[in-house]
Amino acid sequence: MLHFNRCQHLKQIAQKCFSSTHVKTDKHAQLFLSRTFALAELRKSWHSIYSLVGDKNIILMGPPGAGKTTVGRIIGQKLGCCVIDVDDDILEKTWNMSVSEKLQDVGNEQFLEEEGKAVLNFSASGSVISLTGSNPLHEASMRHLKKNGIIVYLDVPPIDIVSRLKLMKIDRIVGQNSGTSVKDLLKFRRQYYKKWYDTRVLCENGASPEEVADKVLNAVKRYQDVDSETFISTRHIWPKDCEQKVPTKFFSEAVTEGLAPDGGLFVPEKEFPKLNFGEWKSLVGATYIERAQILLEKCIHPADIPASRLGEMIETAYGENFACSKIAPVRHLSGNQFILELFHGPTGSFKDLSLQLMPHLFAHCIPPSCNYMILVATSGDTGSAVLNGFSRLSKNDKQRIAVATFFPEDGVSDFQKAQIIGSQNENGWAVGVTSDFDFCQTSIKRIFQDSDFTGFLTVEYGTVLSSANSINWGRLLPQVVYHASAYLDLVSQGFISFGSPVDVCIPTGNFGNILAAVYAKTMGIPIRKFICASNQNHVLTDFIKTGHYDLRERKLAQTFSPAIDILKSSNLERHLHLMANKDGQLMTRLFNQLEEQHHFQIEKILVEKIQQDFVADWCSEGECLAAIHSTYNTSGYILDPHTAVAKVVADRMQDKTCPVIVSSTAHYSKFAPAIMQALKIKEISQTSSSQVYLLSSYNALPPPHEALLERTKQQGNMECQVCAADVNVLKSHVEKLAQNHFI
């Protein structure tokens, strides 16, 4: 076996390496690779930041032309450690011939096998290893390397790789047969690179090898520092004693717990990760799935969910479950207005964009020996999306995760109600409540904070409670992706150049969707203004204009846009926490006051800070219907009522100096009566099923939603329980469901 090992003092001090390395081959030949370390002592302070862990190797993986060899040498110089190039130091010395000669001699398949055997007969520690482009195709050798290494994927856009290979005058790579283009082969190999890496480095066009090397070291540092990315409650009060330990949670804990113990919401302790200009530009030509993988990898530490596993979840979530291959396409409506279509998922609303993924995140994060009951309050769309998402888990996961959805019995559209009830399955149930959404949401929060009840469920049924509403960080985070993706699509389609600002207009109730856009801006998307659009329940509009959140004398109105019929906006707390420089004491005071006195007022300086980025207005029922009618007449496009609310407000508030992206949060089929009233279609007394089919016969955009049409055939097949507006009654339902499912 060929063996590269550290000298004795490297084992004692992880940051240093040896000046010579002993290599043992099967023929017992000896080879010494000299390395000079004149600057080693000067790098001690640097090494205290960037260090190898124990005897782990840094393994650079990527396609040919990615710069693995050059970057590996730079990293070796920085760390003062051994650099091993698999091509030069392993393969050619094992074979006594060049790699190209070997490939020509044995052909593609045999070459991969011989290459794998050579790597299996090699070991190293404390080194930087540059793989060949084809190493990842051999499973056994990659498992061998992974045991003692951190695999860093140098992710270079394929178009750049093709250009580099031309400059290098390389016209054939391993696995390339006649008739196979380099681009196609690179696409084929990508699945193997994604399978093996521990951390990824985006190598944007124009980045120097030195810059990439620094990125690799930063990525390795992040990978090793498992305690670096933690979450705090929005109501956390920072200790006066700087040495006092702050109670933090990891991503996996924030996802499984849902709500913080003090009643606050979990937020990252540190700032959101940022992508630089070049990294964003490299995503312009990427698919939605590729964008999601890269952005979410930045936000989820691999200690919580390994990158390869996260990639599998994302591909499962957005693979075949969406009617449009672009997942969340952007459509030009007219003038400077664009529609972000967020309704192509299986239940026809924007909730699918997060709730096709969130159940997989949740199932991965929970302890294997625990049962979990997910409690969800829905104002219409969340219920069916949660039930659908959790029904797609594996059989084993469905046995230990159950869902209870509470919805206002008379506060959702007929279609939404039928959809929620029809989405019930072996691990998910719907419960109607004779009250409004705010009661459902507040009751669930109270249940979480009732330690006697939650403790009883744990002892009696081995069941822990959690949430899948946007109060859960795992539900909110995936929404960041589609706001970023929408901007990148406008760049890709040539409507704007990267760096040009856009406004976003979002129908807003619980503040999660618009908050996700704020986080997208934090990561580097140049959003100028956030336009908050309300219906007649315009508490948020009033708050953004005045700083006074006032529920006194305010009753919830039922509107054509029920998903935003909300008065208590949960995610506003997260945004205020961000704007108030993470002042948990202020959040505690404000939201306790809201609970007890039904209003609060923030200071003028904080109002002005919010108004730097936010504008807001509201839309009447008549204006909503008129917008649906006029938009259809002028463009043949049917807006759902929530999108119509946003369009009315965008028309009124946006100054037309830059594009505005209007979030279309649901497919119009879910609100057929309102659409038929808006379009003045007389057959309004038909059943909700026949209304949906009638609308689908119109030659309109967007096209009919096949999954929703299919759902109409199943209406009336199932019933659900209905309970009184009493928290104790909701508790009894929760206990009964836990007993039936888990015992």
Side-chain angles (χ1 to χ4, degrees):
M1 174 178 280
L2 193 63
H3 184 72
F4 289 70
N5 197 3
R6 302 187 189 195
C7 64
Q8 188 61 37
H9 74 273
L10 178 62
K11 292 180 179 178
Q12 299 168 354
I13 304 174
Q15 292 83 8
K16 295 185 180 181
C17 195
F18 41 88
S19 58
S20 62
T21 303
H22 186 233
V23 181
K24 232 177 19 178
T25 68
D26 291 337
K27 297 180 180 179
H28 305 289
Q30 292 187 348
L31 172 68
F32 291 88
L33 303 178
S34 300
R35 294 288 182 267
T36 59
F37 304 101
L39 300 177
E41 293 300 315
L42 295 177
R43 297 194 186 103
K44 281 183 179 178
S45 62
W46 191 91
H47 288 153
S48 69
I49 302 173
Y50 298 100
S51 62
L52 299 176
V53 173
D55 290 330
K56 287 277 188 181
N57 301 304
I58 295 178
I59 302 171
L60 302 182
M61 177 184 72
K68 301 181 294 294
T69 300
T70 304
V71 170
R73 288 171 182 157
I74 294 170
I75 294 171
Q77 288 180 337
K78 285 178 177 286
L79 293 177
C81 66
C82 180
V83 179
I84 303 165
D85 183 87
V86 171
D87 265 339
D88 295 342
D89 298 326
I90 307 300
L91 300 182
E92 294 193 355
K93 288 181 170 51
T94 299
W95 296 334
N96 291 318
M97 66 172 70
S98 70
V99 170
S100 58
E101 289 172 335
K102 185 71 171 181
L103 177 60
Q104 191 172 4
D105 185 36
V106 301
N108 287 318
E109 290 187 20
Q110 186 61 30
F111 178 90
L112 289 173
E113 194 57 36
E114 300 252 353
E115 180 184 58
K117 286 180 181 178
V119 172
L120 283 168
N121 284 323
F122 145 81
S123 70
S125 58
S127 304
V128 179
I129 303 173
S130 299
L131 300 182
T132 72
S134 54
N135 279 150
L137 277 67
H138 193 272
E139 181 155 345
S141 61
M142 289 302 293
R143 290 195 184 281
H144 169 67
L145 290 168
K146 198 174 176 73
K147 286 178 183 177
N148 195 40
I150 300 169
I151 300 180
V152 182
Y153 174 27
L154 302 188
D155 189 358
V156 184
I159 190 169
D160 292 341
I161 291 294
V162 172
S163 299
R164 292 180 189 182
L165 293 178
K166 285 181 180 178
L167 289 173
M168 296 162 67
K169 296 183 179 179
I170 295 175
D171 55 5
R172 184 190 173 198
I173 56 180
V174 179
Q176 186 178 4
N177 299 311
S178 59
T180 304
S181 68
V182 173
K183 187 176 181 180
D184 288 341
L185 185 58
L186 292 173
K187 185 177 180 180
F188 168 76
R189 282 192 182 183
R190 200 172 179 85
Q191 63 184 307
Y192 293 96
Y193 299 145
K194 286 160 68 174
K195 177 179 179 179
W196 295 112
Y197 72 93
D198 294 305
T199 184
R200 179 202 313 245
V201 167
L202 280 180
C203 305
E204 69 272 20
N205 187 29
S208 68
E210 289 77 12
E211 290 171 329
V212 175
D214 285 339
K215 280 188 167 190
V216 169
L217 291 166
N218 281 324
V220 170
K221 177 179 179 291
R222 180 197 179 218
Y223 180 84
Q224 295 169 342
D225 192 355
V226 296
D227 298 329
S228 63
E229 295 172 22
T230 52
F231 291 76
I232 57 172
S233 167
T234 49
R235 302 185 190 182
H236 167 71
I237 299 173
W238 296 92
K240 293 180 180 179
D241 181 3
C242 295
E243 294 183 1
Q244 187 177 337
K245 187 172 176 59
V246 176
T248 58
K249 301 285 185 179
F250 297 117
F251 173 86
S252 52
E253 294 172 312
V255 170
T256 54
E257 292 179 23
L259 192 68
D262 59 11
L265 307 183
F266 287 117
V267 289
E269 183 181 5
K270 299 178 181 176
E271 289 187 353
F272 246 77
K274 291 179 173 60
L275 278 71
N276 65 37
F277 183 87
E279 289 172 331
W280 279 119
K281 286 197 72 174
S282 71
L283 295 181
V284 169
T287 65
Y288 188 91
I289 288 176
E290 290 167 342
R291 292 167 181 170
Q293 288 176 341
I294 287 168
L295 296 179
L296 294 180
E297 280 174 22
K298 296 270 187 183
C299 301
I300 301 173
H301 196 280
D304 289 297
I305 304 178
S308 58
R309 181 71 188 102
L310 179 61
E312 292 171 0
M313 294 178 191
I314 291 169
E315 289 183 356
T316 299
Y318 303 124
E320 299 178 357
N321 301 345
F322 284 74
C324 177
S325 61
K326 291 187 176 181
I327 313 301
V330 177
R331 188 187 297 270
H332 183 218
L333 188 61
S334 63
N336 72 325
Q337 288 189 351
F338 297 83
I339 297 288
L340 171 56
E341 295 184 344
L342 299 173
F343 47 70
H344 293 287
T347 70
S349 88
F350 79 102
K351 308 296 175 71
D352 290 324
L353 273 297
S354 55
L355 284 166
Q356 288 297 302
L357 177 59
M358 187 263 186
H360 298 285
L361 303 178
F362 188 88
H364 179 89
C365 291
I366 64 174
S369 59
C370 289
N371 299 323
Y372 275 80
M373 173 69 75
I374 309 293
L375 303 185
V376 178
T378 179
S379 56
D381 292 324
T382 298
S384 54
V386 168
L387 292 168
N388 184 287
F390 278 91
S391 74
R392 295 175 184 269
L393 292 175
S394 68
K395 183 178 180 181
N396 180 58
D397 285 334
K398 283 192 284 190
Q399 289 175 347
R400 64 196 187 113
I401 302 173
V403 181
T405 297
F406 296 91
F407 67 94
E409 171 69 9
D410 297 317
V412 298
S413 74
D414 289 342
F415 186 92
Q416 285 176 312
K417 184 175 180 179
Q419 189 180 30
I420 294 168
I421 295 171
S423 297
Q424 294 180 107
N425 55 74
E426 62 186 287
N427 71 324
W429 307 276
V431 180
V433 181
T434 55
S435 186
D436 56 31
F437 170 78
D438 285 328
F439 173 82
C440 296
Q441 180 167 252
T442 301
S443 297
I444 286 178
K445 286 185 177 181
R446 287 177 178 170
I447 291 172
F448 282 140
Q449 293 175 290
D450 187 338
S451 57
D452 290 339
F453 180 66
T454 56
F456 167 75
L457 290 179
T458 302
V459 172
E460 288 294 316
Y461 308 113
T463 300
V464 181
L465 297 182
S466 189
S467 172
N469 281 96
S470 57
I471 60 174
N472 190 308
W473 185 256
R475 168 52 207 288
L476 179 62
L477 180 61
Q479 295 180 247
V480 177
V481 177
Y482 59 70
H483 288 297
S485 184
Y487 182 87
L488 295 171
D489 280 348
L490 286 189
V491 177
S492 176
Q493 294 168 25
F495 288 107
I496 57 173
S497 57
F498 193 89
S500 300
V502 297
D503 293 339
V504 296
C505 184
I506 300 170
T508 305
N510 219 15
F511 212 81
N513 198 351
I514 202 165
L515 179 62
V518 172
Y519 290 146
K521 179 175 182 176
T522 303
M523 294 188 78
I525 293 296
I527 298 173
R528 185 184 65 163
K529 288 289 184 182
F530 303 94
I531 305 173
C532 176
S534 305
N535 58 20
Q536 286 181 274
N537 299 293
H538 46 82
V539 62
L540 280 171
T541 292
D542 295 346
F543 171 73
I544 290 168
K545 289 183 175 182
T546 67
H548 191 197
Y549 201 98
D550 192 359
L551 300 181
R552 297 170 301 178
E553 308 295 323
R554 195 188 291 262
K555 292 184 178 180
L556 189 75
Q558 291 188 2
T559 72
F560 293 128
S561 47
I564 55 174
D565 286 348
I566 296 171
L567 293 179
K568 289 186 178 180
S569 181
S570 286
N571 278 292
L572 178 64
E573 182 171 342
R574 280 187 169 117
H575 188 59
L576 285 179
H577 183 260
L578 181 64
M579 292 292 97
N581 300 317
K582 302 183 179 180
D583 188 341
Q585 189 167 7
L586 175 62
M587 295 305 105
T588 302
R589 179 172 63 80
L590 291 179
F591 287 92
N592 282 345
Q593 185 181 340
L594 182 65
E595 192 67 26
E596 295 164 6
Q597 302 176 26
H598 308 295
H599 79 110
F600 65 73
Q601 173 77 52
I602 60 174
E603 294 182 359
K604 184 179 178 182
I605 190 170
L606 190 53
V607 178
E608 291 172 347
K609 189 173 182 181
I610 292 169
Q611 290 174 347
Q612 288 176 4
D613 289 328
F614 273 76
V615 294
D617 212 336
W618 66 279
C619 166
S620 70
E621 293 290 84
E623 289 171 322
C624 173
L625 295 182
I628 295 170
H629 185 267
S630 63
T631 302
Y632 177 68
N633 283 344
T634 56
S635 64
Y637 193 95
I638 301 179
L639 305 172
D640 95 286
H642 304 79
T643 313
V645 167
K647 186 177 188 322
V648 169
V649 174
D651 288 341
R652 190 183 299 153
M653 303 297 292
Q654 214 266 343
D655 61 14
K656 297 181 173 55
T657 58
C658 73
V660 58
I661 301 173
V662 177
S663 287
S664 183
T665 54
H667 194 276
Y668 61 83
S669 298
K670 302 183 81 165
F671 309 95
I675 302 302
M676 295 178 76
Q677 185 176 338
L679 300 184
K680 298 179 170 53
I681 300 172
K682 292 182 179 179
E683 296 87 342
I684 204 159
S685 61
Q686 296 181 354
T687 64
S688 107
S689 173
S690 59
Q691 287 173 347
V692 171
Y693 272 94
L694 178 61
L695 285 176
S696 71
S697 67
Y698 280 62
N699 187 22
L701 292 174
H705 195 294
E706 295 301 328
L708 296 184
L709 290 175
E710 187 64 28
R711 171 60 63 194
T712 62
K713 300 175 184 178
Q714 303 171 24
Q715 290 183 23
N717 294 339
M718 302 182 74
E719 296 180 350
C720 77
Q721 295 178 321
V722 179
C723 71
D726 184 324
V727 176
N728 291 322
V729 175
L730 266 65
K731 286 181 185 177
S732 68
H733 276 279
V734 171
E735 181 186 353
K736 185 177 180 180
L737 292 172
Q739 184 181 40
N740 291 342
H741 189 72
F742 297 123
I743 300 299

